[in-house]
Amino acid sequence: VTANPPRLVMELLLGDLCNHMIHPVDPSDKTKRLNISADTYPWRLRMRIAYDIALGMQYLQNIQPPIIHRDLRSPNIFLASLDENAPVCAKVA
């Protein structure tokens, strides 16, 4: 963050979990939802995303003073990578 003019630098991520994996939208027509098959995202990736979410929540609750998220839902989970071997796959917003 800078003082004059105010600026904020943020990380560019793939998108939120809800719109990217659960309810993907057709890029050519934003009003249409795409049908995804069960094998589009392997279970290992799904488990890795769940693990990253759990780590993020653990971090928030273990700092002093603890932070209670109160709005943990799929639109507030951002995907950093779809590679289960990446250092981070998901981040809590």
Side-chain angles (χ1 to χ4, degrees), residues 29-84:
D29 184 1
K30 300 291 184 190
T31 61
K32 290 185 181 176
R33 298 256 185 224
L34 295 176
N35 291 326
I36 57 171
S37 64
D39 59 347
T40 302
Y41 300 105
W43 278 104
R44 184 175 168 143
L45 175 61
R46 297 176 197 193
M47 293 302 292
R48 179 59 199 277
I49 290 170
Y51 179 73
D52 285 350
I53 294 167
L55 285 178
M57 295 306 295
Q58 179 186 27
Y59 172 79
L60 289 175
Q61 294 177 0
N62 285 336
I63 61 175
Q64 291 300 323
I67 297 174
I68 298 173
H69 194 284
R70 294 187 60 183
D71 196 24
L72 184 62
R73 55 195 179 105
S74 58
N76 293 332
I77 304 299
F78 291 96
L79 299 175
S81 175
L82 292 177
D83 177 15
E84 64 259 13

Side-chain angles (χ1 to χ4, degrees), residues 18-20 23-34:
C18 183
N19 290 325
H20 193 76
H23 303 293
V25 177
D26 186 353
S28 62
D29 184 1
K30 300 291 184 190
T31 61
K32 290 185 181 176
R33 298 256 185 224
L34 295 176

